[in-house]
Amino acid sequence: MVAYFRVQNNLFMAAGALAGLGAALLGFGSFLEDMPGYIAAFAAALAAFAGVIAGRIFSSCWASGALKSVHSLLYVKEDPEGFLKKFTPMVERVPKNTIEYVDGICRLAFAWEALGDYDRGLELLKDVKPENLKLHRLIGTSLVANQRLRLFLLKKEEEQARQAVCQMEELKEAARTRAPSICANLEQCLRLAHIWLSALRGEKTEAEDLAYVREEIALAGNPIYKREMEQLLKLLQGE
């Protein structure tokens, strides 16, 4: 979260350092004067360091709220245009070798998905290299693969969607022992993808598949995703 607000984070930590140093001088100024120079300097540095930590904690809380407000434009208020305008420059400032950048690009692709511009979403994902991440490589790769799969399904490009499913199956197996929670999420995504692919092929829909999509609609907190699931249900029902 803080990665999107590096300038603000540095300012908060600098302010914390000054506040910590100021508090030490005001509260223990006369006491520090009687200490040897190196001890007084150490005590002052310790107070400043405590202020930096406090500033970092405050920055993290502030960044969380600020990011949540930006995300709400897309996921709550259904304003993809407003989200793209606000979030795009934030993502562009983040280093490309971080999970924050990968996650941000996936969210931007979802915003284009919400606008029905699936090609623009796929174009964004083309140059993302989550496999090069030093940390969070598996989750980053899974995020990109799932978003790409969704766009192929929405474009009704069966062959590309099938290839994306194969990639996610491999990711699922890789995550089975290393990251069970990611594996479970991938299994849910793949179940939906298989239902979606069957619908695109015009295959007979099983009752349990209809029930699964209806459950997705009922539980969806994201109005954009809910609308897509409603469209999928109509497709399954031959409407």
Side-chain angles (χ1 to χ4, degrees), residues 78 114 217 220 222-232:
E78 291 188 78
I217 294 171
N222 180 336
I224 298 168
Y225 176 72
K226 183 174 184 176
R227 186 165 58 250
E228 290 175 352
M229 290 300 96
E230 289 171 343
Q231 292 172 353
L232 174 58

Side-chain angles (χ1 to χ4, degrees), residues 118-136:
Y118 309 137
D119 288 328
R120 187 69 176 270
L122 287 167
E123 188 66 26
L124 271 178
L125 296 172
K126 185 189 301 183
D127 297 326
V128 181
K129 306 295 182 184
E131 63 276 8
N132 294 335
L133 294 178
K134 294 181 179 179
L135 297 173
H136 311 296

Side-chain angles (χ1 to χ4, degrees), residues 16-237:
L18 291 174
L21 184 59
L25 293 174
L26 288 174
F28 304 100
S30 59
F31 180 67
L32 292 174
E33 289 177 358
D34 297 331
M35 289 183 173
Y38 68 93
I39 295 180
F42 176 77
L46 191 63
F49 179 72
V52 169
I53 297 300
R56 181 66 173 78
I57 293 172
F58 178 82
S59 176
S60 180
C61 294
W62 177 86
S64 177
L67 195 58
K68 184 178 180 180
S69 177
V70 175
H71 286 171
S72 70
L73 291 172
L74 179 62
Y75 299 106
V76 179
K77 299 178 182 179
E78 291 188 78
D79 180 13
E81 294 97 335
F83 175 79
L84 287 166
K85 183 178 180 180
K86 189 86 172 180
F87 195 54
T88 298
M90 292 170 60
V91 175
E92 290 174 346
R93 291 194 296 266
V94 176
K96 294 184 178 182
N97 61 343
T98 63
I99 187 62
E100 287 84 2
Y101 178 79
V102 174
D103 179 70
I105 289 294
C106 288
R107 293 179 188 275
L108 292 175
F110 181 71
W112 287 111
E113 174 184 323
L115 290 170
D117 195 339
Y118 309 137
D119 288 328
R120 187 69 176 270
L122 287 167
E123 188 66 26
L124 271 178
L125 296 172
K126 185 189 301 183
D127 297 326
V128 181
K129 306 295 182 184
E131 63 276 8
N132 294 335
L133 294 178
K134 294 181 179 179
L135 297 173
H136 311 296
R137 184 180 305 166
L138 185 57
I139 188 170
T141 306
S142 300
L143 286 171
V144 173
N146 185 54
Q147 183 58 45
R148 185 180 286 118
L149 171 59
R150 290 173 51 77
L151 289 166
F152 284 139
L153 289 168
L154 286 162
K155 288 189 68 179
K156 300 181 180 180
E157 295 186 355
E158 295 180 33
E159 181 57 28
Q160 289 88 338
R162 188 190 63 78
Q163 293 176 10
V165 164
C166 290
Q167 181 191 10
M168 287 184 62
E169 291 283 2
E170 293 176 358
L171 289 171
K172 182 189 71 173
E173 293 307 314
R176 189 173 297 281
T177 55
R178 292 168 50 192
S181 61
I182 295 177
C183 179
N185 287 335
L186 287 170
E187 285 178 341
Q188 295 301 313
C189 294
L190 283 166
R191 181 177 180 186
L192 181 63
H194 284 299
I195 295 172
W196 208 326
L197 271 174
S198 294
L200 291 179
R201 293 171 183 148
E203 298 173 355
K204 180 181 177 182
T205 303
E206 301 294 336
E208 60 185 25
D209 291 341
L210 285 171
Y212 184 81
V213 175
R214 289 193 180 103
E215 184 178 9
E216 285 290 291
I217 294 171
L219 297 176
N222 180 336
I224 298 168
Y225 176 72
K226 183 174 184 176
R227 186 165 58 250
E228 290 175 352
M229 290 300 96
E230 289 171 343
Q231 292 172 353
L232 174 58
L233 182 61
K234 290 180 180 180
L235 181 62
L236 292 169
Q237 294 173 333

